[in-house]
Amino acid sequence: MQGGHYFLLLFVGPLVSVSIACSTEHANQTTFDVSDYGAVSGGHIDDSEAFLKAWNAACASETENPTLIVPPKRFLLNPIVFSGPCRAKNINFLIFGRLLAPDSPGAWKELDPSQWLAFNGVSGLNIAGPGRINGRGKAWWDQSCRDHPRLVGCSTLAPTAVKLVSCKNSSISEIHFVNSSQTHVLIRDCDGINIENVLIEAPERSPNTDGIHISASHNVVITNAIIGTGDDCVSIGDHTSNIAISYVKCGPGHGISIGSLGRSGNFVQVENIHVSKVYLQGTTNGARIKTWQVGRGYVRRVTFEHIFFRSVKNPIIIDQNYCNKSDACKEMETGVHITDVSFNQLYGTSSSRVAVNLNCSRSVACTSIYLKSIYLRSALAGQNVTSNCTNAHGVAFGVIQPDPCL
Ligand SMILES: *[C@@H]1O[C@H](CO)[C@@H](O)[C@H](O)[C@H]1NC(C)=O
Ligand SMILES: *[C@@H]1O[C@H](CO)[C@@H](O)[C@H](O)[C@H]1NC(C)=O
Ligand SMILES: *[C@@H]1O[C@H](CO)[C@@H](O)[C@H](O)[C@H]1NC(C)=O
Ligand SMILES: *[C@@H]1O[C@H](CO)[C@@H](O)[C@H](O)[C@H]1NC(C)=O
Ligand SMILES: *[C@@H]1O[C@H](CO)[C@@H](O)[C@H](O)[C@H]1NC(C)=O
Ligand SMILES: *[C@@H]1O[C@H](CO)[C@@H](O)[C@H](O)[C@H]1NC(C)=O
Ligand SMILES: *[C@@H]1O[C@H](CO)[C@@H](O)[C@H](O)[C@H]1NC(C)=O
């Protein structure tokens, strides 16, 4: 099993076939090419106004499937918000070309620094490739407070490349995301989202460049994704349910994470999270749940299954004592209850000694944790791996290595 890529079904490529009706009658216009609205290709002139005009026309269109088209060229876009609701039930945003973010944070002067391309309140939105969205985040990384804490005027917040907020029945497919200044794709307050065949790439050392972050959303499917960034490949935040993640290759990065949850002492509600067929390579974490002691509420009905690790630092980890000051978390009476979590058929190698770490709180212990069919070895020759359970209760079944602590 070692070596070799285990999931051959991963693919990313220009697989869409599009048929575009070239109607020119304005009233029934179905395609809205940004070039017809004044966008100038080349990547040197800001085209956000032209994109907004094309979007507004498509969004107001009475035809069934209005389609905004970005031709196969380069376009520079300043921060922009595409707002809904639109008149049609579905609206397509078809990117054949490349969208480039401004290469300097100066372009955000007086604008919301948390976003670059935002879609707000749109239903039936289909963002499709085969195009590329380049956040050109380097200048933001260079002024990040995390990496440069002593820098005067450093930023804790940088723009997310694509943000979908308050959306329904939407999808993102066949897009290649690179170098976002912070999170690449953020889904918030949405219901019914499909993300498939995406490739997301940023340097291992880029700060907070999560691949996909989901919060306050339900019924989200992520499948066939290749993600390698400086932070979580996929992270799942609070108020989320019915999330299915499968056929993901992750690395470098921080793995597939549920959390961190409950930071502000809020009541956490996370349930029905299913992660399967994931290959993690050289990541800091594999299957992870992390919560703050100050939080309340629950995380329940979570499955991580059919996962293959290659040299992952913490392949299986629940950290209910998560905090931002290392080794200085005071013990509290509160906690997020983590229950009904199953780790099933997890194989591969760990680059640290503790391959299974279930670190739960004394006051709100983890319950109904299942470890089934697990075989983890050390990535280092001659080393052993162990598991370490603290306040974790459940059942281990068919765990070959490390010796289960449940
Ligand atoms: C628009 O489409 C409708 C129905 O498909 C048709 O009845 C109408 O004549 C069309 N209008 C124009 C301006 O083409
Ligand atoms: C979303 O899709 C579901 C199922 O296809 C449909 O019943 C529902 O009306 C759609 N919602 C919106 C807002 O389009
Ligand atoms: C992403 O950023 C890094 C660091 O600036 C750079 O080396 C790399 O070429 C960029 N990737 C792309 C596809 O632009
Ligand atoms: C468990 O969490 C506590 C508090 O953060 C920490 O001190 C301890 O080292 C952790 N144990 C393991 C095995 O990671
Ligand atoms: C840690 O988190 C707390 C609570 O969110 C916050 O008040 C504090 O400033 C943070 N400390 C650091 C070092 O980030
Ligand atoms: C690994 O475990 C085996 C069997 O328990 C033991 O003989 C060996 O000394 C251990 N190796 C290390 C490096 O701890
Ligand atoms: C588990 O972790 C605790 C610290 O959280 C440590 O005291 C203990 O020795 C560890 N047990 C094993 C078996 O590694």
Side-chain angles (χ1 to χ4, degrees):
M1 180 98 46
Q2 203 194 7
H5 289 197
Y6 166 91
F7 301 112
L8 298 173
L9 291 170
L10 290 169
F11 63 92
V12 165
L15 298 173
V16 273
S17 68
V18 210
S19 54
I20 297 158
C22 288
S23 143
T24 46
E25 286 90 11
H26 199 74
N28 282 358
Q29 192 177 334
T30 58
T31 62
F32 301 82
D33 186 323
V34 294
S35 312
D36 298 336
Y37 293 83
V40 183
S41 62
H44 301 291
I45 296 163
D46 168 34
D47 282 320
S48 52
E49 254 183 65
F51 272 61
L52 206 49
K53 278 186 195 152
W55 170 264
N56 288 338
C59 188
S61 164
E62 289 177 13
T63 50
E64 233 167 61
N65 259 310
T67 300
L68 180 148
I69 292 180
V70 179
K73 293 172 184 152
R74 290 152 55 92
F75 299 93
L76 172 65
L77 294 182
N78 275 350
I80 181 168
V81 180
F82 300 103
S83 300
C86 297
R87 194 164 289 182
K89 220 167 139 216
N90 295 299
I91 179 162
N92 306 312
F93 198 108
L94 208 45
I95 306 169
F96 291 102
R98 298 181 173 197
L99 307 185
L100 303 176
D103 60 5
S104 148
W108 274 263
K109 206 178 275 170
E110 287 164 28
L111 294 171
D112 182 352
S114 78
Q115 58 196 36
W116 171 36
L117 307 175
F119 293 85
N120 211 328
V122 186
S123 287
L125 169 67
N126 301 305
I127 301 174
R132 187 195 277 208
I133 295 181
N134 187 346
R136 298 206 286 183
K138 190 166 188 306
W140 285 99
W141 307 334
D142 289 346
Q143 64 175 48
S144 122
C145 296
R146 198 196 77 178
D147 289 4
H148 309 279
R150 279 189 298 264
L151 178 72
V152 177
C154 67
S155 330
T156 50
L157 189 61
T160 286
V162 170
K163 203 188 246 188
L164 263 54
V165 179
S166 303
C167 55
K168 283 199 171 65
N169 291 3
S170 295
S171 69
I172 299 178
S173 59
E174 318 285 341
I175 303 279
H176 179 182
F177 293 90
V178 293
N179 287 348
S180 177
S181 43
Q182 200 153 321
T183 300
H184 287 77
V185 178
L186 184 142
I187 307 293
R188 187 170 67 222
D189 190 23
C190 289
D191 193 354
I193 306 298
N194 245 305
I195 300 178
E196 56 183 20
N197 302 330
V198 293
L199 170 61
I200 302 179
E201 296 181 290
E204 181 166 13
R205 306 185 70 91
S206 56
N208 304 115
T209 50
D210 293 52
I212 301 171
H213 179 70
I214 305 164
S215 77
S217 295
H218 311 280
N219 305 306
V220 178
V221 174
I222 298 173
T223 191
N224 274 307
I226 298 177
I227 304 173
T229 68
D231 209 310
D232 294 331
C233 287
V234 179
S235 61
I236 296 171
D238 202 358
H239 296 286
T240 47
S241 66
N242 302 332
I243 313 291
I245 298 167
S246 63
Y247 296 104
V248 173
K249 177 179 185 289
C250 167
H254 295 180
I256 310 278
S257 257
I258 299 177
S260 62
L261 302 168
R263 181 183 181 135
S264 56
N266 51 303
F267 191 88
V268 168
Q269 292 168 284
V270 171
E271 63 187 328
N272 296 330
I273 312 294
H274 190 83
V275 180
S276 69
K277 312 239 168 45
V278 172
Y279 174 71
L280 294 121
Q281 181 172 21
T283 54
T284 52
N285 301 288
R288 170 163 72 163
I289 303 177
K290 55 175 175 172
T291 63
W292 293 70
Q293 287 192 73
V294 69
R296 296 164 304 120
Y298 57 82
V299 174
R300 64 193 182 201
R301 292 200 285 273
V302 176
T303 342
F304 289 100
E305 62 183 0
H306 302 123
I307 294 182
F308 188 80
F309 306 99
R310 186 166 191 180
S311 203
V312 168
K313 196 162 168 222
N314 302 293
I316 298 178
I317 179 164
I318 294 180
D319 185 358
Q320 233 185 350
N321 302 308
Y322 187 72
C323 78
N324 52 0
K325 294 173 269 182
S326 52
D327 296 327
C329 312
K330 259 193 283 167
E331 190 168 341
M332 294 185 187
E333 289 306 304
T334 48
V336 178
H337 186 204
I338 298 176
T339 188
D340 201 352
V341 178
S342 143
F343 297 94
N344 181 22
Q345 301 198 45
L346 274 50
Y347 309 106
T349 58
S350 171
S351 61
S352 79
R353 201 176 59 84
V354 184
V356 176
N357 189 353
L358 308 180
N359 197 348
C360 299
S361 86
R362 197 188 333 220
S363 43
V364 188
C366 299
T367 57
S368 300
I369 308 295
Y370 304 96
L371 293 172
K372 293 184 268 192
S373 303
I374 290 175
Y375 183 28
L376 299 172
R377 289 169 300 116
S378 177
L380 312 164
Q383 298 292 305
N384 291 336
V385 290
T386 63
S387 31
N388 192 323
C389 298
T390 312
N391 304 308
H393 307 282
V395 180
F397 181 84
V399 178
I400 298 167
Q401 198 175 282
D403 281 336
C405 47
L406 285 174

